[in-house]
């Protein structure tokens, strides 16, 4: 846009911002920058545009928030109580599901055996299925160990539901115990590692085969 006048540049800027605004409002899911860029004019700086739009909505009833590498409009945190009045009461997750979700979030990628080791009790497949149905966890790959067990990690939907931009925003161990998300049965020397939310598999993982989806059973020799 170097050849444009100031008025023309301002007009293009406002048009791009309106396009982004419309796309984000219309979407039921957070959108990544690359998918948004395809709707803008040539030479548009999507990063600057998103930050500009975020700034404009910073003091409004809805805010533009980042969830991992995606963006979405969400109700301002200080007004969330207004919407909770109309929310349907949902059955809360069981303690087993909450503990399992917390362990996966902090230890991912984690196998079922690793989850059970931290919890100190067996983890039923139904608990993992419930969390996958909610869209909060996913099967990542297979550990390069005997039996090649499936590993689990969190999803972007997990970040969005709990209002996190990245996994580094997760609370500390004491906060988790205080909120009841981790059981007092956990070992006293348990350390919370730095969560890993990268898209790539870790070095000790293999990609999933198509037949792996829907099953976390270990492969037999």
């Amino acid at each position: 846009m170097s050849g444009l006048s100031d008025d023309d540049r301002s007009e293009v800027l406002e048009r791009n911002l309106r396009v982004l605004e419309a796309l984000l409002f219309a979407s039921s899911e957070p959108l990544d920058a690359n998918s948004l860029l395809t709707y803008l004019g040539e030479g548009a700086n999507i990063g600057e545009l998103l930050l500009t739009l975020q700034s404009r909505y910073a003091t409004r009833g809805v805010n533009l928030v980042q969830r991992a590498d995606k963006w979405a409009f969400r109700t301002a945190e200080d007004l969330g109580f207004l919407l909770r009045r109309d929310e349907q009461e949902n059955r809360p997750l069981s303690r087993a599901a909450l503990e399992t979700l917390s362990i996966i979030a902090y230890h991912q990628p984690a196998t079922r055996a690793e989850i059970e080791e931290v919890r100190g009790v067996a983890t039923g497949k139904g608990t993992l299925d419930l969390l996958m149905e909610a869209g909060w966890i996913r099967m990542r790959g297979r550990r390069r160990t005997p039996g090649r067990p499936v590993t689990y990690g969190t999803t972007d939907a997990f970040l969005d539901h709990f209002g996190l931009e990245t996994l580094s925003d997760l609370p500390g161990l004491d906060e988790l115990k205080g909120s009841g998300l981790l059981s007092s049965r956990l070992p006293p020397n348990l350390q919370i590692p730095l969560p890993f939310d990268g898209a790539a598999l870790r070095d000790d993982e293999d990609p999933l085969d198509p037949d792996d989806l829907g099953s976390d059973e270990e492969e037999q020799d």
Side-chain angles (χ1 to χ4, degrees):
M1 295 190 299
S2 57
L4 299 178
S5 66
D6 289 343
D7 287 343
D8 288 338
R9 280 196 292 268
S10 178
E11 183 177 342
V12 171
L13 171 65
E14 291 304 319
R15 179 190 177 280
N16 283 336
L17 289 173
R18 291 184 67 223
V19 169
L20 289 179
E21 187 178 37
L23 291 170
L24 290 163
F25 264 120
S27 177
S28 59
E29 302 290 340
L31 300 174
D32 63 85
N34 286 335
S35 65
L36 292 167
L37 185 58
T38 60
Y39 294 92
L40 304 180
E42 184 178 354
N45 188 321
I46 186 63
E48 290 185 3
L49 287 167
L50 286 167
L51 291 176
T52 299
L53 193 60
Q54 184 180 52
S55 176
R56 291 190 180 185
Y57 276 87
T59 60
R60 299 187 184 180
V62 292
N63 299 151
L64 181 60
V65 298
Q66 188 172 4
R67 298 290 182 255
D69 60 346
K70 298 181 180 181
W71 296 78
F73 280 112
R74 293 292 181 260
T75 303
E77 289 188 7
D78 61 323
L79 298 178
F81 71 95
L82 295 173
L83 299 184
R84 294 192 190 104
R85 299 175 184 174
D86 299 326
E87 286 182 351
Q88 292 183 351
E89 187 171 342
N90 296 319
R91 182 180 178 183
L93 289 177
S94 65
R95 176 175 291 276
L98 286 172
E99 290 180 0
T100 299
L101 179 61
S102 299
I103 292 166
I104 291 173
Y106 283 92
H107 290 261
Q108 61 186 299
T111 66
R112 181 160 51 160
E114 290 165 348
I115 295 167
E116 292 174 347
E117 182 179 359
V118 175
R119 292 189 64 223
V121 295
T123 299
K125 186 175 182 297
T127 298
L128 294 168
D129 287 341
L130 177 66
L131 294 173
M132 284 195 290
E133 288 174 6
W136 294 343
I137 68 170
R138 63 184 176 91
M139 291 187 289
R140 286 177 46 99
R142 282 192 178 273
R143 186 78 77 207
R144 293 175 183 172
T145 57
R148 300 186 66 245
V150 167
T151 59
Y152 295 90
T154 55
T155 64
D156 289 346
F158 166 81
L159 297 177
D160 192 29
H161 181 85
F162 290 97
L164 305 172
E165 183 172 328
T166 66
L167 285 177
S168 61
D169 295 328
L170 283 166
L173 180 58
D174 291 338
E175 293 175 87
L176 287 172
K177 287 184 176 179
S179 64
L181 290 180
L182 286 183
S183 170
S184 59
R185 295 192 304 268
L186 294 176
N189 61 343
L190 174 68
Q191 298 295 315
I192 292 294
L194 179 65
F196 174 80
D197 61 348
L201 293 172
R202 285 189 171 180
D203 292 340
D204 61 349
E205 287 183 297
D206 286 323
L208 289 171
D209 296 324
D211 293 340
D212 289 328
L213 299 179
S215 171
D216 69 344
E217 295 301 320
E218 297 180 353
E219 289 190 356
Q220 302 298 320
D221 295 334

